[in-house]
Amino acid sequence: MGNPEAQGPLEEQHLGPVVRRREQVTPGTTDQRLLDSEGDSEWVHTDPWRVMRIQSEFVEGFGALAELPPAISVFGSARTPVGSAEYEAGVSLGRALVEAGFAVITGGGPGAMEAANKGARDARGISVGLGIELPFEQGLNPHVDIGVNFRYFFVRKTMFVKYAQGFVVLPGGFGTLDELFEALTLVQTRKVTRFPIVLFGSEYWNGLVDWIRKTMIAGGKASEHDLHLFHVTDDVEEAVSLVTKEVGR
């Protein structure tokens, strides 16, 4: 056998923490392969890449909202007309919540969400909007001071609950009901504690409450105690008082 040292200097390549020698040396560098890549782009639609996007949304949401003061999430329809009684109630709620020491979080859209953000901003409070990527979404309303847009509903809904001490729910559609029943489920199953839920607008919500009582509870699908998971009111001061009392402020 020959002397290895007589065969010339040993070729060696360092790739981060990895060392490659002899026939295992690869051409180019990691940066070069990254920047020169022109291959198939289908990988951006694969589940592993989606996991990274989901993780990044949680990180961005946590980073943006971690230093918020105590906050209340206000929900309601994007279709609520500006200047209507429901819109003005939203403005009054946003203002009153700020005056009670809360930041206001909404879905960031128009209608009832815009109204609550406007009230918070008028009162010089912190007005937050958590938007969602939708084909018909108009973007964040102009009264949002801190805004985060999400791709995934479940990430966005986590933020609504994690950074709020309670919910006030104005009249709304399927999205509003989704957020309402998610919160009710979390409280009922004790995934969250001391989380007040206020339904604002008795004329709108009483039909749902009657169905819960006369159909769901009467049919054994829920208990009478579950009616205490939420409150119904038409009064702004009472709504604020209910969330303030339950969070111990």
Side-chain angles (χ1 to χ4, degrees), residues 75-80 86 112 169-177 200 204-205:
F75 300 106
S77 176
R79 305 183 186 189
T80 301
E86 287 180 8
V169 190
L170 293 159
F174 289 125
T176 302
L177 290 173
F200 190 90
Y204 189 85
W205 294 112

Side-chain angles (χ1 to χ4, degrees), residues 19-40:
V19 176
R20 287 180 174 269
R21 291 174 174 167
R22 291 177 282 274
E23 294 84 1
Q24 299 304 315
V25 172
T26 59
T29 66
T30 303
D31 280 341
Q32 196 174 49
R33 288 191 295 275
L34 171 66
L35 298 174
D36 288 347
S37 175
E38 295 181 358
D40 183 12

Side-chain angles (χ1 to χ4, degrees), residues 28 34-35 39 42 48 52-53 57 66 69 93 108 118 127 145 151 156 161 176 188 197 204-205 208 217:
L34 171 66
L35 298 174
E42 278 301 307
M52 298 297 291
R53 280 182 170 171
E57 290 208 347
L93 272 168
K118 182 179 186 301
S127 176
D145 294 321
R151 287 186 178 93
R156 179 184 186 232
V161 175
T176 302
Q188 183 199 47
I197 301 168
Y204 189 85
W205 294 112
L208 176 63
I217 293 175

Side-chain angles (χ1 to χ4, degrees), residues 12 24 44 49 64 66 100 107-108 156 158 186 191 204 213 248:
E12 186 170 275
Q24 299 304 315
V44 301
W49 187 250
R156 179 184 186 232
T158 298
L186 290 172
K191 294 292 187 181
Y204 189 85
R213 180 185 294 109

